[in-house]
Structure formats: C-alpha cells, structure tokens
Amino acid sequence: MCHYHFQDRTDLVLAVIEDIRPEWITPLETAVSAPGQFAERAERVVQLLGRPEGPELSHLHSALHWQALNDARVRESLETEYRRWRACFVALFQVLADERGAGLDPRPLGLAVAAAVDGLAAMDSLGADGGTEPILRTLIRTLAAGAGSGP
C-alpha cells in the first residue's frame, strides 16, 4: 500500500510530518491565539507543554530529525513546521509587548522559550523527569518580568 500512495520513503516521511501537525503545532497555536492577557495565554501554553510527549511521539520526533539530516526535502519540511511552532512563542511574547507598549522585542524572548522547550522535551525523552511544567512556568515568568528592563 505504501508504494501505491507514496512514490518513495521521503514522500511517506513528508506525509507523517504533515499528519502530526494537529497533535503538535495546532494545539499550541490555539493556546496562544485564544483570548486573554499574556498571563492567561502563557498558563495555557505551560499546561499544554508541561505534559511529557510520550515515548511514541518522542521516538517519532527523533526519527524525523534523523531523516532531516539525510534528506533535504525532509529537512525543509520539518524546518517549515518548526518555524511555525517557534512563531507561536514569538506571538505569545507579542501579546506581552502589546500589553506593555514599551518597544519590547518579542522575538528573542519567544525563541528562547522555544529552545528551552526543545531541551526539556529532549530531557524528558531520555527519562529525566526534570519537572517540565514548573521549569517552563518559571522561565516564562522570569523572562516576562525582566522584559524591557534593559541589559
């Protein structure tokens, strides 16, 4: 059946990347775009991402990263999805910037949280229960509190 629906392995992997979007990116987009102040939206994000992703999804993400190292089409598709995923965190901090109105740049703050979430997911995938939810909550609150206070 795979050969009937997909021309090659890359086409199959690209379909998997597209297929996991509703489980991976769409809930994050919804959590960030739903109404509310920054604190409410941030808490929704923490609640969503504070849960371990589970071994199956963790293995799938690892396999996709490996495929991306070896296939330019997979790398481009996966990077497109990650760009969309990272944009959610920038959008979250854009809400904070809009609330403060002080010329706050949401991009570095959002990208910092996205990188931290990636690291926490990697730790969780190895079985290191670092308490993702409290770490993520602390990071977001600390960045929000210090945002706009200068270097």
Side-chain angles (χ1 to χ4, degrees):
M1 288 300 284
C2 284
H3 292 290
Y4 178 78
H5 293 287
F6 305 102
Q7 192 169 18
D8 57 19
R9 177 185 289 187
T10 298
D11 286 343
L12 174 61
V13 172
L14 295 174
V16 168
I17 291 170
E18 186 173 326
D19 189 60
I20 65 171
R21 184 182 304 134
E23 296 176 47
W24 178 38
I25 296 173
T26 306
L28 182 59
E29 289 174 330
T30 301
V32 171
S33 66
Q37 298 293 317
F38 171 81
E40 296 168 84
R41 294 175 195 222
E43 187 56 30
R44 285 193 300 260
V45 168
V46 168
Q47 292 292 319
L48 177 67
L49 298 175
R51 300 182 303 246
E53 68 180 2
E56 297 84 13
L57 194 54
S58 177
H59 290 140
L60 178 59
H61 279 135
S62 295
L64 291 174
H65 282 271
W66 184 87
Q67 288 287 331
L69 292 173
N70 297 294
D71 188 309
R73 288 174 50 210
V74 173
R75 184 173 40 258
E76 181 180 322
S77 178
L78 196 57
E79 174 51 29
T80 298
E81 294 301 312
Y82 267 104
R83 194 174 310 118
R84 184 173 169 174
W85 185 77
R86 289 187 304 263
C88 293
F89 296 101
V90 175
L92 175 64
F93 279 93
Q94 182 62 56
V95 172
L96 180 66
D98 293 344
E99 287 176 11
R100 296 221 177 133
L104 176 73
D105 185 358
R107 185 169 167 72
L109 298 170
L111 294 180
V113 172
V117 169
D118 272 343
L120 290 167
M123 284 174 34
D124 286 346
S125 74
L126 297 173
D129 181 19
T132 300
E133 190 173 314
I135 292 169
L136 186 54
R137 185 175 288 111
T138 300
L139 175 64
I140 291 174
R141 286 180 180 169
T142 302
L143 289 173
S149 62

